[in-house]
Amino acid sequence: MTEQTALPETGAVVGKPDAAVVRDALGVGVAVGLSGFAFGVTSAGSGLTLAQTCALSLLVFTGASQFALVGALAAGGNPLTAAAGAFFLGVRNAFYGLRLSQLLALPRAVRPFAAQWVIDETTAVALAQPTRRGVRIGFTVTGLTLYVLWNLTTLLGALGAEAIGDTAAWGLDAAGPAVFLALLAPMLKSSTERTVAGLAVLLGLGLLPVLPAGVPVLVAALAAPLVLWAGGCRAGGAAPDRPAPADGAEGER
Protein backbone atom coordinates (compact mmCIF):
# COMPACT_ATOMS: atom_id res chain seq x y z
CA MET A 1 0.00 0.00 0.00
CA THR A 2 2.86 2.40 0.73
CA GLU A 3 4.25 2.00 -2.75
CA GLN A 4 0.87 2.72 -4.32
CA THR A 5 0.10 5.88 -2.36
CA ALA A 6 3.55 7.44 -1.93
CA LEU A 7 4.46 10.25 -4.29
CA PRO A 8 7.92 11.53 -5.16
CA GLU A 9 8.62 14.95 -3.73
CA THR A 10 9.93 16.25 -7.05
CA GLY A 11 12.43 15.42 -9.75
CA ALA A 12 11.90 11.63 -9.80
CA VAL A 13 8.81 12.11 -11.95
CA VAL A 14 8.55 14.79 -14.61
CA GLY A 15 5.49 16.86 -13.72
CA LYS A 16 4.10 20.24 -14.59
CA PRO A 17 6.18 23.32 -13.82
CA ASP A 18 5.07 25.12 -10.67
CA ALA A 19 3.78 28.04 -12.76
CA ALA A 20 1.53 25.73 -14.77
CA VAL A 21 0.08 24.16 -11.61
CA VAL A 22 -0.58 27.62 -10.16
CA ARG A 23 -2.23 28.74 -13.41
CA ASP A 24 -4.54 25.74 -13.49
CA ALA A 25 -5.39 26.09 -9.81
CA LEU A 26 -6.15 29.79 -10.20
CA GLY A 27 -8.38 29.04 -13.18
CA VAL A 28 -10.47 26.58 -11.20
CA GLY A 29 -10.55 28.76 -8.08
CA VAL A 30 -11.65 31.90 -9.92
CA ALA A 31 -14.22 30.16 -12.13
CA VAL A 32 -15.95 28.40 -9.24
CA GLY A 33 -15.37 31.11 -6.66
CA LEU A 34 -17.40 33.63 -8.63
CA SER A 35 -20.46 31.40 -8.34
CA GLY A 36 -20.59 32.29 -4.65
CA PHE A 37 -22.55 35.33 -5.82
CA ALA A 38 -25.38 33.01 -6.85
CA PHE A 39 -25.34 31.40 -3.42
CA GLY A 40 -25.49 34.77 -1.69
CA VAL A 41 -28.49 35.77 -3.78
CA THR A 42 -30.24 32.45 -3.26
CA SER A 43 -29.59 32.38 0.46
CA ALA A 44 -30.84 35.92 1.01
CA GLY A 45 -33.87 35.18 -1.15
CA SER A 46 -34.70 32.15 1.00
CA GLY A 47 -34.97 34.31 4.10
CA LEU A 48 -31.54 33.94 5.71
CA THR A 49 -29.93 37.07 7.11
CA LEU A 50 -26.68 38.53 5.83
CA ALA A 51 -24.81 37.17 8.86
CA GLN A 52 -26.29 33.67 8.45
CA THR A 53 -25.46 33.61 4.73
CA CYS A 54 -21.86 34.66 5.28
CA ALA A 55 -21.45 32.22 8.18
CA LEU A 56 -22.51 29.33 5.95
CA SER A 57 -19.81 30.14 3.40
CA LEU A 58 -17.15 30.74 6.05
CA LEU A 59 -17.85 27.63 8.12
CA VAL A 60 -19.48 25.09 5.78
CA PHE A 61 -17.67 25.99 2.54
CA THR A 62 -19.06 23.32 0.27
CA GLY A 63 -21.30 24.66 -2.43
CA ALA A 64 -23.56 21.68 -3.01
CA SER A 65 -24.44 21.39 0.68
CA GLN A 66 -24.99 25.13 1.00
CA PHE A 67 -27.31 25.26 -2.01
CA ALA A 68 -29.20 22.18 -0.78
CA LEU A 69 -29.71 23.73 2.64
CA VAL A 70 -31.02 27.10 1.48
CA GLY A 71 -33.07 25.48 -1.29
CA ALA A 72 -34.88 23.26 1.19
CA LEU A 73 -35.45 26.18 3.55
CA ALA A 74 -36.77 28.33 0.71
CA ALA A 75 -39.27 25.59 -0.14
CA GLY A 76 -40.58 25.62 3.43
CA GLY A 77 -38.76 22.55 4.62
CA ASN A 78 -38.01 21.68 8.22
CA PRO A 79 -34.58 23.08 9.25
CA LEU A 80 -33.49 19.70 10.61
CA THR A 81 -34.44 17.94 7.39
CA ALA A 82 -32.69 20.61 5.34
CA ALA A 83 -29.56 20.27 7.48
CA ALA A 84 -29.65 16.47 7.13
CA GLY A 85 -29.75 16.72 3.35
CA ALA A 86 -26.83 19.16 3.36
CA PHE A 87 -24.90 16.87 5.69
CA PHE A 88 -25.26 13.81 3.49
CA LEU A 89 -24.10 15.77 0.46
CA GLY A 90 -21.04 16.90 2.41
CA VAL A 91 -20.08 13.41 3.57
CA ARG A 92 -18.24 12.83 0.29
CA ASN A 93 -15.59 15.31 1.43
CA ALA A 94 -14.59 12.91 4.19
CA PHE A 95 -13.71 10.30 1.57
CA TYR A 96 -11.72 12.90 -0.37
CA GLY A 97 -9.81 13.60 2.82
CA LEU A 98 -8.79 9.96 3.23
CA ARG A 99 -7.07 10.05 -0.14
CA LEU A 100 -5.63 13.55 0.12
CA SER A 101 -4.13 12.90 3.55
CA GLN A 102 -1.84 10.31 1.94
CA LEU A 103 -0.88 12.52 -0.98
CA LEU A 104 -0.37 15.78 0.91
CA ALA A 105 1.36 14.22 3.94
CA LEU A 106 0.91 17.44 5.92
CA PRO A 107 2.09 17.93 9.52
CA ARG A 108 -0.54 17.04 12.12
CA ALA A 109 -0.83 20.64 13.29
CA VAL A 110 -1.81 21.79 9.78
CA ARG A 111 -4.33 19.06 8.94
CA PRO A 112 -7.36 20.53 10.78
CA PHE A 113 -6.96 23.79 8.84
CA ALA A 114 -6.40 22.01 5.51
CA ALA A 115 -9.54 19.92 6.09
CA GLN A 116 -11.65 23.05 5.60
CA TRP A 117 -10.49 23.17 1.97
CA VAL A 118 -11.15 19.50 1.13
CA ILE A 119 -13.86 19.90 -1.53
CA ASP A 120 -14.50 18.75 -5.09
CA GLU A 121 -12.36 21.36 -6.81
CA THR A 122 -9.27 21.16 -4.60
CA THR A 123 -9.37 17.37 -4.76
CA ALA A 124 -9.61 17.37 -8.56
CA VAL A 125 -6.66 19.73 -8.98
CA ALA A 126 -4.54 17.91 -6.39
CA LEU A 127 -5.15 14.45 -7.87
CA ALA A 128 -4.10 15.68 -11.31
CA GLN A 129 -0.52 16.28 -10.11
CA PRO A 130 2.15 13.54 -10.34
CA THR A 131 4.43 14.83 -7.54
CA ARG A 132 3.82 15.70 -3.91
CA ARG A 133 5.08 19.24 -4.50
CA GLY A 134 2.53 19.64 -7.31
CA VAL A 135 -0.23 18.20 -5.15
CA ARG A 136 0.51 20.64 -2.35
CA ILE A 137 0.74 23.65 -4.66
CA GLY A 138 -2.45 22.73 -6.52
CA PHE A 139 -4.39 22.07 -3.33
CA THR A 140 -3.20 25.23 -1.57
CA VAL A 141 -3.65 27.66 -4.46
CA THR A 142 -7.06 26.26 -5.40
CA GLY A 143 -8.26 26.23 -1.80
CA LEU A 144 -7.04 29.73 -0.97
CA THR A 145 -8.36 31.30 -4.18
CA LEU A 146 -11.70 29.58 -3.95
CA TYR A 147 -12.19 30.27 -0.25
CA VAL A 148 -11.47 33.99 -0.56
CA LEU A 149 -13.54 34.51 -3.72
CA TRP A 150 -16.44 32.31 -2.57
CA ASN A 151 -16.82 34.25 0.66
CA LEU A 152 -16.37 37.64 -0.99
CA THR A 153 -18.92 36.94 -3.72
CA THR A 154 -21.31 35.42 -1.16
CA LEU A 155 -21.24 38.75 0.69
CA LEU A 156 -21.77 40.71 -2.54
CA GLY A 157 -24.61 38.42 -3.61
CA ALA A 158 -26.40 38.72 -0.28
CA LEU A 159 -26.04 42.51 -0.32
CA GLY A 160 -27.25 42.64 -3.90
CA ALA A 161 -30.29 40.49 -3.09
CA GLU A 162 -31.25 42.84 -0.29
CA ALA A 163 -30.94 45.79 -2.66
CA ILE A 164 -33.09 44.35 -5.46
CA GLY A 165 -35.77 42.93 -3.17
CA ASP A 166 -37.72 39.87 -4.38
CA THR A 167 -35.17 37.61 -6.10
CA ALA A 168 -37.91 35.39 -7.53
CA ALA A 169 -39.28 38.32 -9.53
CA TRP A 170 -35.90 38.59 -11.27
CA GLY A 171 -35.57 34.86 -11.78
CA LEU A 172 -32.53 34.75 -9.48
CA ASP A 173 -34.10 32.00 -7.40
CA ALA A 174 -33.02 29.62 -10.18
CA ALA A 175 -29.39 30.71 -9.94
CA GLY A 176 -28.51 28.19 -7.23
CA PRO A 177 -29.82 25.07 -8.98
CA ALA A 178 -28.30 26.25 -12.27
CA VAL A 179 -24.84 26.65 -10.75
CA PHE A 180 -25.13 23.31 -8.98
CA LEU A 181 -25.99 21.54 -12.24
CA ALA A 182 -23.14 23.31 -14.02
CA LEU A 183 -20.71 22.02 -11.40
CA LEU A 184 -22.15 18.52 -11.41
CA ALA A 185 -22.50 17.83 -15.14
CA PRO A 186 -18.76 17.65 -16.01
CA MET A 187 -18.22 15.09 -13.24
CA LEU A 188 -20.63 12.55 -14.75
CA LYS A 189 -18.14 10.70 -16.93
CA SER A 190 -19.21 7.05 -16.69
CA SER A 191 -22.53 5.45 -17.55
CA THR A 192 -22.96 4.41 -13.91
CA GLU A 193 -22.55 8.00 -12.72
CA ARG A 194 -25.03 9.26 -15.31
CA THR A 195 -27.51 6.56 -14.33
CA VAL A 196 -27.22 7.50 -10.65
CA ALA A 197 -27.75 11.18 -11.48
CA GLY A 198 -30.75 10.44 -13.68
CA LEU A 199 -32.40 8.20 -11.10
CA ALA A 200 -31.73 10.77 -8.36
CA VAL A 201 -33.46 13.43 -10.46
CA LEU A 202 -36.46 11.18 -11.03
CA LEU A 203 -36.74 10.34 -7.33
CA GLY A 204 -36.27 13.93 -6.22
CA LEU A 205 -38.75 15.47 -8.65
CA GLY A 206 -41.24 12.63 -8.50
CA LEU A 207 -41.51 12.77 -4.71
CA LEU A 208 -41.78 16.56 -4.42
CA PRO A 209 -45.62 16.56 -4.48
CA VAL A 210 -45.99 13.84 -1.83
CA LEU A 211 -43.17 14.44 0.68
CA PRO A 212 -42.26 17.45 2.85
CA ALA A 213 -39.68 19.85 1.46
CA GLY A 214 -36.14 18.57 1.95
CA VAL A 215 -37.11 14.91 2.29
CA PRO A 216 -36.96 14.16 -1.49
CA VAL A 217 -33.27 15.13 -1.41
CA LEU A 218 -32.63 12.48 1.23
CA VAL A 219 -34.58 9.84 -0.70
CA ALA A 220 -32.70 10.74 -3.90
CA ALA A 221 -29.49 9.67 -2.13
CA LEU A 222 -30.77 6.08 -2.44
CA ALA A 223 -30.09 6.26 -6.19
CA ALA A 224 -26.41 5.38 -5.73
CA PRO A 225 -26.84 2.12 -3.76
CA LEU A 226 -29.77 1.09 -5.98
CA VAL A 227 -27.75 1.51 -9.17
CA LEU A 228 -24.71 -0.24 -7.68
CA TRP A 229 -26.89 -3.12 -6.46
CA ALA A 230 -28.54 -3.49 -9.87
CA GLY A 231 -25.15 -3.40 -11.57
CA GLY A 232 -23.82 -6.09 -9.24
CA CYS A 233 -26.82 -8.32 -9.91
CA ARG A 234 -26.44 -7.83 -13.65
CA ALA A 235 -22.73 -8.62 -13.54
CA GLY A 236 -23.36 -11.72 -11.44
CA GLY A 237 -26.05 -12.95 -13.81
CA ALA A 238 -23.85 -12.37 -16.84
CA ALA A 239 -20.94 -14.41 -15.45
CA PRO A 240 -20.70 -17.73 -17.33
CA ASP A 241 -21.31 -20.84 -15.31
CA ARG A 242 -18.26 -23.02 -14.85
CA PRO A 243 -18.67 -26.22 -16.84
CA ALA A 244 -18.99 -29.40 -14.88
CA PRO A 245 -15.86 -31.61 -15.03
CA ALA A 246 -16.01 -34.44 -17.48
CA ASP A 247 -16.22 -38.01 -16.25
CA GLY A 248 -12.90 -39.10 -14.90
CA ALA A 249 -11.49 -35.59 -14.90
CA GLU A 250 -11.24 -35.47 -11.14
CA GLY A 251 -9.43 -38.75 -11.11
CA GLU A 252 -6.90 -37.56 -13.70
CA ARG A 253 -5.95 -34.62 -11.48
Side-chain angles (χ1 to χ4, degrees), residues 1-10 12-13 99-105 129-133 135:
M1 287 298 294
T2 304
E3 294 179 357
Q4 294 177 353
T5 58
L7 284 177
E9 293 291 341
T10 184
V13 174
R99 178 58 175 155
L100 287 178
S101 65
Q102 299 172 334
L103 301 181
L104 291 168
Q129 313 309 321
T131 65
R132 176 160 288 123
R133 177 180 175 84
V135 169

Side-chain angles (χ1 to χ4, degrees), residues 208-238:
L208 276 177
V210 296
L211 293 178
V215 177
V217 175
L218 301 179
V219 178
L222 297 175
L226 286 175
V227 171
L228 292 176
W229 174 78
C233 292
R234 188 163 54 248

Side-chain angles (χ1 to χ4, degrees), residues 240-246:
D241 296 333
R242 295 181 61 183

Side-chain angles (χ1 to χ4, degrees), residues 85-109:
F87 171 79
F88 283 114
L89 281 174
V91 164
R92 71 190 188 284
N93 294 337
F95 295 98
Y96 295 160
L98 293 175
R99 178 58 175 155
L100 287 178
S101 65
Q102 299 172 334
L103 301 181
L104 291 168
L106 296 173
R108 289 185 179 275

Side-chain angles (χ1 to χ4, degrees), residues 149-246:
L149 278 179
W150 181 267
N151 283 281
L152 178 60
T153 54
T154 293
L155 173 61
L156 294 176
L159 291 173
E162 291 183 354
I164 64 177
D166 185 10
T167 56
W170 294 78
L172 295 179
D173 55 325
V179 171
F180 179 71
L181 290 176
L183 293 175
L184 176 65
M187 302 179 188
L188 305 178
K189 298 178 180 179
S190 69
S191 59
T192 300
E193 292 169 346
R194 290 190 288 269
T195 302
V196 169
L199 180 58
V201 169
L202 291 176
L203 288 173
L205 293 180
L207 295 174
L208 276 177
V210 296
L211 293 178
V215 177
V217 175
L218 301 179
V219 178
L222 297 175
L226 286 175
V227 171
L228 292 176
W229 174 78
C233 292
R234 188 163 54 248
D241 296 333
R242 295 181 61 183

Side-chain angles (χ1 to χ4, degrees), residues 42-54:
T42 306
S43 180
S46 68
L48 271 67
T49 66
L50 177 63
Q52 290 171 331
T53 298
C54 291

